C-alpha cells in the first residue's frame, strides 16, 4: 500500500502540469488565430507537420511580435513566407553546413554488390 500512496501522491501534480500545459497550448493557439489570417494559419500548421522545430520558432517570433505591439493587423500568408525566409537565412548562417557526396563504383568492390553507390554525409 505504501507504493500506491506514493503513486497517488505524485499523481495530482502530473494532471496539474498536463492541465497547465493544455491551457498554455490553447492560449497560444488563440493568440495565433488572432494574429494570422486563415491562409497563414494553414501554412504554419502544414509546416508544423514537416518541421515542428521551425514551426515552434516561428510561433515564438509571432507571439513576441504580438506582445510587443509590432503586429498592427493580421499577418497574411505572404508576410509569413517572408518571416520564414528570414528565419531560414538566420538558421543557415548559424547551422553547420552538410554536404552529400554520391560516388558510383566503376570497379568491383564489396560495397557495389550491396547498393552500387556510396553516400557520404559530412559536416562542412
Amino acid at each position: 500500500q505504501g507504493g500506491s500512496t506514493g503513486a497517488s501522491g505524485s499523481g495530482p501534480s502530473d494532471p496539474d502540469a498536463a492541465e497547465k500545459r493544455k491551457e498554455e497550448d490553447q492560449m497560444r493557439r488563440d493568440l495565433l488565430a488572432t494574429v494570422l489570417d486563415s491562409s497563414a494559419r494553414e501554412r504554419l500548421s502544414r509546416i508544423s507537420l514537416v518541421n515542428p522545430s521551425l514551426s515552434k520558432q516561428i510561433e515564438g517570433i509571432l507571439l513576441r511580435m504580438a506582445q510587443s505591439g509590432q503586429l498592427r493587423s493580421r499577418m497574411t500568408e505572404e508576410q509569413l513566407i517572408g518571416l520564414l525566409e528570414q528565419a531560414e537565412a538566420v538558421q543557415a548562417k548559424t547551422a553547420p553546413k552538410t554536404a552529400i557526396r554520391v560516388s558510383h563504383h566503376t570497379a568491383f568492390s564489396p560495397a557495389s554488390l550491396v547498393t552500387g553507390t556510396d553516400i557520404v554525409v559530412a559536416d562542412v
Side-chain angles (χ1 to χ4, degrees):
Q1 287 184 351
S4 66
T5 304
S8 65
S10 65
S13 66
D14 292 338
D16 291 343
E19 183 65 28
K20 184 177 180 182
R21 195 169 33 251
K22 187 177 177 181
E23 288 175 9
E24 288 173 355
D25 288 344
Q26 184 61 43
M27 286 176 30
R28 184 182 193 104
R29 283 192 299 272
D30 291 346
L31 185 57
L32 288 171
T34 61
V35 299
L36 296 174
D37 71 7
S38 61
S39 60
R41 275 197 319 272
E42 288 175 19
R43 181 173 287 269
L44 190 58
S45 69
R46 287 191 306 269
I47 290 168
S48 70
L49 295 173
V50 177
N51 191 342
S53 63
L54 177 61
S55 174
K56 289 290 183 191
Q57 178 186 2
I58 295 299
E59 287 176 8
I61 292 169
L62 289 170
L63 294 174
R64 282 191 301 275
M65 289 174 71
Q67 291 168 346
S68 66
Q70 293 177 345
L71 295 176
R72 301 197 192 288
S73 62
R74 286 187 163 195
M75 182 175 277
T76 64
E77 184 177 11
E78 291 77 23
Q79 292 169 323
L80 179 63
I81 291 169
L83 186 61
L84 287 163
E85 289 170 349
Q86 290 175 0
E88 288 175 351
V90 169
Q91 193 174 29
K93 290 178 184 177
T94 59
K97 294 185 176 124
T98 302
I100 299 176
R101 185 184 76 224
V102 178
S103 62
H104 298 279
H105 296 283
T106 55
F108 175 78
S109 74
S112 66
L113 291 175
V114 178
T115 62
T117 336
D118 286 336
I119 299 177
V120 179
V121 178
D123 290 334
V124 182

